[in-house]
């Protein structure tokens, strides 16, 4: 009986996370690249300190999009403060900043895990130990599996 009560208490959070992960699959957020970022342009785009701040959409845009997506995609937990509107292909790796094909509500618990990876891949692209294509492939594989 106690186990059943504990499982029932944990179920909403588990469903919300499972739902969030399922929603980043290509049906909702396939990912989109920013055309100005290529392997040939990384030294004048993503590898310039502060560059992502120049292309990042304002919170007014991402917050409104996040609320709309939470409702439209039927997230179990629709509290927008529990999520970061994240780029599936990160800005650090040349993701499209404003594209709804590249933005999704990522639970904060997941962004705490994926953000350091994004930074590491970015660093490796900029120091030449990973190509932009390789880094994007790793990022998409990771996020589609873990959120």
């Amino acid at each position: 009986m106690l186990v059943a009560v504990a499982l029932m208490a944990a179920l909403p959070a588990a469903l919300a996370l499972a739902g969030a992960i399922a929603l980043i699959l290509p049906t909702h957020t396939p990912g989109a690249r920013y055309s100005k970022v290529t392997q040939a342009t990384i030294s004048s785009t993503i590898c310039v300190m502060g560059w992502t701040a120049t292309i990042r959409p304002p919170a007014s845009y991402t917050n409104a999009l996040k609320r709309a997506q939470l409702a439209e995609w039927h997230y179990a937990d629709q509290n927008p403060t529990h999520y970061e509107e994240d780029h599936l292909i990160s800005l650090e790796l040349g993701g499209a900043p404003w594209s709804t094909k590249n933005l999704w509500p990522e639970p904060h618990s997941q962004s705490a895990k994926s953000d350091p990876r994004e930074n590491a891949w970015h660093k490796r692209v900029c120091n030449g130990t990973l190509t932009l294509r390789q880094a994007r492939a790793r990022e998409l594989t990771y996020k589609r599996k873990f959120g």
Side-chain angles (χ1 to χ4, degrees), residues 72-96:
E72 180 183 344
W73 298 347
H74 308 290
Y75 272 56
D77 173 7
Q78 295 197 12
N79 184 337
T81 65
H82 295 167
Y83 303 91
E84 167 188 331
E85 189 69 8
D86 193 37
H87 293 89
L88 187 62
I89 300 173
S90 63
L91 298 181
E92 293 84 354
L93 295 179

Side-chain angles (χ1 to χ4, degrees), residues 93 121-122 125 130-140:
L93 295 179
W121 291 318
H122 173 259
V125 167
L130 201 61
T131 67
L132 183 60
R133 183 179 181 161
Q134 290 168 328
R136 286 174 173 168
R138 289 179 186 193
E139 180 175 42
L140 287 172

Side-chain angles (χ1 to χ4, degrees), residues 1-40:
M1 175 75 164
L2 214 46
V3 172
V5 171
L7 286 173
M8 292 302 287
L11 188 59
L15 288 174
L17 181 56
I21 291 171
L23 293 173
I24 67 163
L25 294 175
T27 54
H28 289 290
T29 309
R33 294 172 187 87
Y34 188 31
S35 61
K36 293 185 179 183
V37 179
T38 65
Q39 188 67 44

Side-chain angles (χ1 to χ4, degrees), residues 77-120:
D77 173 7
Q78 295 197 12
N79 184 337
T81 65
H82 295 167
Y83 303 91
E84 167 188 331
E85 189 69 8
D86 193 37
H87 293 89
L88 187 62
I89 300 173
S90 63
L91 298 181
E92 293 84 354
L93 295 179
W98 292 76
S99 175
T100 58
K101 293 179 179 181
N102 198 43
L103 286 158
W104 68 287
E106 179 183 33
H108 287 300
S109 61
Q110 289 307 112
S111 65
K113 296 173 187 173
S114 64
D115 288 352
R117 291 175 185 275
E118 293 170 7
N119 293 334

